[in-house]
Amino acid sequence: MLAGAASFLLLGTAAASAHVKWFCAFDVAGQPRGLEQVLCADFEWLTGLALVCLMFGCLAEGTTLGAAILNAFDRVTERLRRDSALIVRAVVGFFLISLWNLGGIILTPELKTDATWIPWLQLTMAACLLWKRTLPLTAAGIVFLFGFAVWTYGAFHLADYPVFLGVAAFLVLTALDRNLFGQRPIDVVRIAAAITLMWASVEKWAYPQWTDPLIAAKPEMTMGASPELFMQAAGVIEFTLAFALIWTPLVRRVSAVILAAVFVSAILEFGKIDAIGHSGIIAVLIAIAADDARVPATRRDVVLAPLYYASALMMFLGIYYVAHNILYGDHYGLATGAAAMLPVI
């Protein structure tokens, strides 16, 4: 699935995959690009191509080849699967200790704080990861820091990071050996990761200019495409791979591998800050890739893929722009933008 997308991402979009807020100036309250500009002809053919790739992955899943690939995944990731909870705990511990060492950061590099007690809270949270029975204390700390960041920076800004809440839920459910409304701990954090990345994709379309300094510094990363087309493509590919995380087993496992490779390649490009900031989601993606739960793929999955994909795309675009309009004012004409969505959806 999405083999061409994988090569495009790995070769050309490492910079786009780095969290732009950590490296470039940004203004969340500023005017986003209007929906009528986002939903252009290029956007339409890019999403159409992405849908073809997604449906191809769904079709392959029910074949002998798909079963063979899943079996190969199971063999290769057997050790990772056994230790997936331990890997997440270890990486979250590394993340929290790194924040303690850096100081002045709530959860991610752009979430600055002058509160001197926060690093010591982070160190305590890291220590609580050593024992299964104290995992809920670390989870409570993550939720508290997320709430503190919302209080300081606003809910719209923290909509970038629901994966932290997913990790907190994962730790609690793992400690208690429980599911959440029938969803396993890995399922809960998988959904949170998908939501995080789909939201980030919309931000690439709404504020492509935030990445201009990175493209100016590394023009070769666009592989000859215009910066406009490059950011549209990066957003569509990221959205599609994120959506794939909530789809069928083969599709989501391949997507997790591709996304993990993208984030690792971004670390090679951007160094320590990117390694710290993305360490948690990389651990989660590894756990998703190793998850061997299977539900038999059906033709219904193929038929419903375009409907659910279009619904997710419409929902995330709508929520992003409506929420921004409510919080920061209608800069671009929401009614005009909403009308522009109709021919695409």
Side-chain angles (χ1 to χ4, degrees):
M1 173 203 164
L2 291 178
S7 62
F8 177 81
L9 275 164
L10 292 173
L11 294 174
T13 64
S17 300
H19 204 295
V20 69
K21 291 178 180 175
W22 302 346
F23 302 102
C24 299
F26 65 93
D27 179 13
V28 174
Q31 178 177 348
R33 177 159 294 190
L35 279 172
E36 71 281 0
Q37 295 174 281
V38 172
L39 304 176
C40 60
D42 287 340
F43 185 89
E44 292 179 14
W45 73 258
L46 284 166
T47 52
L49 179 60
L51 260 179
V52 169
C53 295
L54 179 64
M55 293 176 70
F56 176 79
C58 295
L59 283 169
E61 185 142 358
T63 66
T64 303
L65 175 62
I69 294 173
L70 281 171
N71 291 335
F73 261 115
D74 290 345
R75 289 193 300 271
V76 171
T77 62
E78 181 182 358
R79 181 61 184 272
L80 293 174
R81 182 165 53 256
R82 282 203 312 266
D83 296 332
S84 59
L86 182 60
I87 290 170
V88 172
R89 287 166 62 181
V91 173
V92 172
F94 157 79
F95 170 74
L96 291 169
I97 291 173
S98 298
L99 294 187
W100 167 74
N101 182 56
L102 291 172
I105 295 173
I106 302 173
L107 279 174
T108 59
E110 89 281 9
L111 301 176
K112 306 293 186 182
T113 180
D114 294 327
T116 56
W117 52 268
I118 282 185
W120 297 104
L121 172 62
Q122 291 161 344
L123 185 62
T124 303
M125 291 161 58
C128 290
L129 288 166
L130 294 172
W131 302 278
K132 186 175 180 180
R133 67 178 60 186
T134 56
L135 293 182
L137 297 179
T138 301
I142 292 173
V143 173
F144 173 79
L145 289 177
F146 190 91
F148 183 80
V150 169
W151 177 266
T152 307
Y153 286 89
F156 193 84
H157 191 133
L158 269 294
D160 278 9
Y161 303 115
V163 68
F164 284 111
L165 300 180
V167 169
F170 178 88
L171 295 174
V172 171
L173 294 172
T174 299
L176 301 178
D177 294 317
R178 298 280 183 87
N179 292 340
L180 181 65
F181 303 114
Q183 299 295 315
R184 301 168 300 151
I186 187 62
D187 295 326
V188 174
V189 73
R190 175 167 57 84
I191 293 169
I195 292 170
T196 297
L197 295 174
M198 283 191 277
W199 186 268
S201 303
V202 176
E203 200 162 69
K204 284 182 172 62
W205 301 323
Y207 294 102
Q209 68 274 16
W210 288 354
T211 314
D212 285 349
L214 295 181
I215 293 177
K218 302 177 183 293
E220 68 279 1
M221 75 182 188
T222 66
M223 297 185 294
S226 67
E228 178 82 11
L229 179 60
F230 173 76
M231 289 308 296
Q232 286 174 334
V236 169
I237 294 171
E238 185 174 5
F239 187 93
T240 305
L241 291 171
F243 175 82
L245 292 178
I246 58 174
W247 209 240
T248 51
L250 176 61
V251 169
R252 66 180 179 238
R253 293 176 78 173
V254 173
S255 175
V257 170
I258 295 173
L259 285 166
V262 170
F263 284 123
V264 170
S265 67
I267 290 172
L268 298 176
E269 189 75 29
F270 292 95
K272 180 171 69 174
I273 293 297
D274 202 71
I276 294 170
H278 280 145
S279 58
I281 198 166
I282 291 172
V284 166
L285 290 168
I286 291 172
I288 294 169
D291 180 28
D292 63 349
R294 296 197 193 181
V295 177
T298 65
R299 292 180 181 178
R300 185 171 178 269
D301 296 319
V302 181
V303 173
L304 290 179
L307 175 62
Y308 279 91
Y309 181 90
S311 298
L313 184 61
M314 179 175 63
M315 181 178 69
F316 275 87
L317 280 167
I319 291 175
Y320 191 99
Y321 276 83
V322 169
H324 194 281
N325 176 64
I326 291 172
L327 292 171
Y328 303 112
D330 187 0
H331 300 288
Y332 48 84
L334 189 60
T336 301
M341 296 176 70
L342 295 178
V344 177
I345 298 169

